[in-house]
Amino acid sequence: MDSSGIPPEASFAEAPSRRWLVAFSGGLDSTVLLHWAAQFAATDAAISLRALHVHHGLNAAADDWAAHCARIADSLAVPLTVRRVQVDLNGGSGLEAAARTARFAAIREVMQPAETVLFAHHQDDQAETLLLNLARGSGPDGLSAMPRQRDLGAGWLYRPLLGLSRARLEAEAHAMRLSWIDDPSNRDESLDRNFLRHRVIPLLRERWPGFSDKAADATRRIAEVTTQIREDDGPLLDSLTHEGGLSVSALSQLEPAVTARVLRMAMRRAGLPLPGQAVLGQVLRVIQSGRNDAEHCVQWGRAEVRRYRDRLFIQHRLPEVASDWTTQWSGEPALQLPSGSGELVSGASGSWTVRLAQPTDVIRQPGRPGKRLAKWCQEQGIPPWLRLRLPVVLRDEWICSIGATCIDEQIAPSNLQWNHQLVGVPRV
């Protein structure tokens, strides 16, 4: 061990920044992580350290766990944030994935720019992840398992304990006389990771005692290869991207293996979970489809891939459309829109009605014949699934603006801006 009592395999010194946020569940692994992080921070005045406990509300003892974490953090003089989340159990992705999604959403909300989030994943977690991804038919990205470091929000995710086994962490915890939470769900073998942990991996170690070490070595070697592939594929993905979508015609000219790699990279950039091979195969069939006029959609979890004309859109699944939403607007302050449609901003003062677009809308520009909404959207290149999310501004039941596009400047709000994150809305 070094002078701080931390094993050299725990690589805190290589963290990408000196602003640390420890993901602290209160379990054995994260308890050891928090103690060592506090010890290391005591030797380096440049380090700022705080912790986050995500309260999932899935166990009757969740409040007690949060209180326990608060006591541990207080004993170490580490500021702790407790963030309550709602886990979506009806999303179709399973309990483990849903809890992970909620947890990462909370982390992104809490973390600050240039902050490094420390996770307590260790060598055994790495072996479990490798086996899970093998069972799912993952490609090279999945087989490289968990990287020690990656981008996360405006900062980084970092795993300093990947070089240590769970048994080593438990021995260190007992040596330091630490107390931790024993989550009973960790013994539920109906969950995939627990099944591997309690049933499969012990058999593999019985046959091959160095299994976890070998698995970790394998993931490192695969990661080296995938890193080089990403460096090669990054410029290709950039060249295929236009107005938030990928060129379908260009993708269809690539070798299927290259297309699959580019799609995974695009999904990763969008912050989406990587799908299994079956879902990826559906996406590849959408790319090869000759029906440009069809509305294609492939969904998994809270992610989706859609195609419109020659563009492929990879995005988070959009919320349901609030078709009956309407409100009065004076032009200020900024108007928040429903259904993930962003906000409208204008420096004007007046009286307008704002609602979302409807299929029966007719766009009438002065001196021009009227056009049905679908026809107008086709000319603007707006995909079908976004058309009923367009904000419509009316004066006396007359459409004067759609999005930020002025239909009648005589009655439309001046300097109108539409701020949104809808992928695939050009010029509107």
Side-chain angles (χ1 to χ4, degrees):
M1 293 192 181
D2 62 21
S3 58
S4 66
I6 302 171
E9 298 94 332
S11 52
F12 286 93
E14 288 77 34
S17 77
R18 285 298 182 257
R19 301 180 65 183
W20 293 357
L21 174 65
V22 174
F24 183 39
S25 70
L28 184 148
D29 308 333
S30 67
T31 299
V32 173
L33 173 66
L34 184 64
H35 277 77
W36 281 347
Q39 285 180 251
F40 196 98
T43 69
D44 186 343
I47 294 175
S48 64
L49 175 65
R50 62 195 188 108
L52 169 66
H53 175 75
V54 178
H55 186 307
H56 296 88
L58 296 174
N59 188 285
D63 289 341
D64 294 336
W65 294 348
H68 168 88
C69 290
R71 289 193 296 271
I72 298 299
D74 185 63
S75 71
L76 296 171
V78 175
L80 175 73
T81 297
V82 176
R83 180 59 60 96
R84 292 175 178 266
V85 299
Q86 291 291 327
V87 178
D88 183 3
L89 301 178
N90 299 313
S93 59
L95 175 62
E96 291 172 287
R100 182 180 183 276
T101 297
R103 186 161 56 250
F104 270 85
I107 290 169
R108 288 188 177 93
E109 290 174 2
V110 170
M111 69 182 297
Q112 300 171 355
E115 194 164 36
T116 296
V117 184
L118 302 183
F119 280 75
H121 296 125
H122 47 72
Q123 191 179 79
D124 295 34
D125 292 323
Q126 190 75 301
E128 292 164 11
T129 302
L130 173 63
L131 291 175
L132 277 173
N133 289 337
L134 276 171
R136 294 166 180 162
S138 299
D141 290 315
L143 298 184
S144 60
M146 298 181 292
R148 185 176 293 276
Q149 174 184 328
R150 69 171 175 84
D151 294 343
L152 179 64
W156 300 271
L157 181 157
Y158 188 67
R159 300 179 171 100
L161 307 185
L162 278 184
L164 291 156
S165 68
R166 208 268 182 186
R168 176 71 179 278
L169 294 179
E170 185 172 2
E172 296 286 349
H174 285 297
M176 291 187 284
R177 298 183 178 180
L178 303 181
S179 62
W180 59 85
I181 295 165
D182 184 14
D183 184 348
S185 69
N186 290 332
R187 297 187 293 273
D188 181 1
E189 294 184 6
S190 70
L191 302 176
D192 291 342
R193 189 174 286 275
N194 289 341
F195 178 77
L196 289 172
R197 180 177 303 160
H198 299 300
R199 299 280 292 277
V200 176
I201 290 181
L203 287 175
L204 292 171
R205 287 195 184 123
E206 182 180 335
R207 180 75 175 187
W208 298 285
F211 171 76
S212 293
D213 290 335
K214 298 298 184 184
D217 289 340
T219 60
R220 280 194 292 270
R221 289 194 294 271
I222 296 171
E224 291 172 0
V225 174
T226 55
T227 297
Q228 183 60 55
I229 290 173
R230 288 173 191 166
E231 292 175 357
D232 295 339
D233 288 344
L236 175 59
L237 175 58
D238 293 337
S239 71
L240 296 171
T241 304
H242 176 63
E243 292 185 340
L246 303 181
S247 169
V248 172
S249 57
L251 282 170
S252 64
Q253 299 302 311
L254 301 175
E255 291 292 328
V258 177
T259 303
R261 293 204 311 265
V262 169
L263 290 173
R264 291 191 187 99
M265 177 172 285
M267 293 166 185
R268 192 180 301 105
R269 284 187 181 180
L272 300 175
L274 297 183
Q277 200 63 34
V279 171
L280 193 61
Q282 293 179 47
V283 178
L284 292 173
R285 287 192 290 275
V286 166
I287 292 171
Q288 295 298 330
S289 172
R291 295 189 59 195
N292 247 351
D293 58 338
E295 185 175 341
H296 305 273
C297 180
V298 177
Q299 297 180 327
W300 69 101
R302 290 299 179 184
E304 64 183 18
V305 170
R306 292 182 180 267
R307 175 182 170 181
Y308 179 60
R309 295 178 178 172
D310 190 50
R311 286 186 295 168
L312 193 76
F313 300 98
I314 298 172
Q315 59 195 23
H316 292 273
R317 194 185 300 191
L318 296 170
E320 294 295 321
V321 175
S323 58
D324 58 349
W325 179 85
T326 183
T327 190
Q328 299 300 307
W329 186 41
S330 65
E332 54 183 358
L335 178 63
Q336 300 300 315
L337 303 167
S339 306
S341 295
E343 66 175 10
L344 289 178
V345 179
S346 173
S349 179
S351 178
W352 292 273
T353 299
V354 181
R355 59 170 170 77
L356 297 185
Q358 298 175 0
T360 55
D361 282 337
V362 177
I363 316 303
R364 295 185 176 91
Q365 294 177 295
R368 300 182 185 179
K371 292 178 182 175
R372 298 296 294 267
L373 176 72
K375 177 65 173 177
W376 185 85
C377 287
Q378 287 173 359
E379 294 175 353
Q380 300 292 320
I382 300 171
W385 61 89
L386 297 178
R387 294 171 186 173
L388 301 187
R389 301 177 188 276
L390 299 175
V392 174
V393 183
L394 305 98
R395 168 74 64 83
D396 298 328
E397 299 185 358
W398 187 273
I399 295 177
C400 55
S401 295
I402 296 185
T405 298
C406 180
I407 303 301
D408 189 338
E409 63 181 11
Q410 297 298 318
I411 57 175
S414 59
N415 302 316
L416 184 64
Q417 300 176 45
W418 179 27
N419 302 323
H420 65 87
Q421 295 183 347
L422 296 174
V423 179
V425 183
R427 304 186 302 279
V428 177

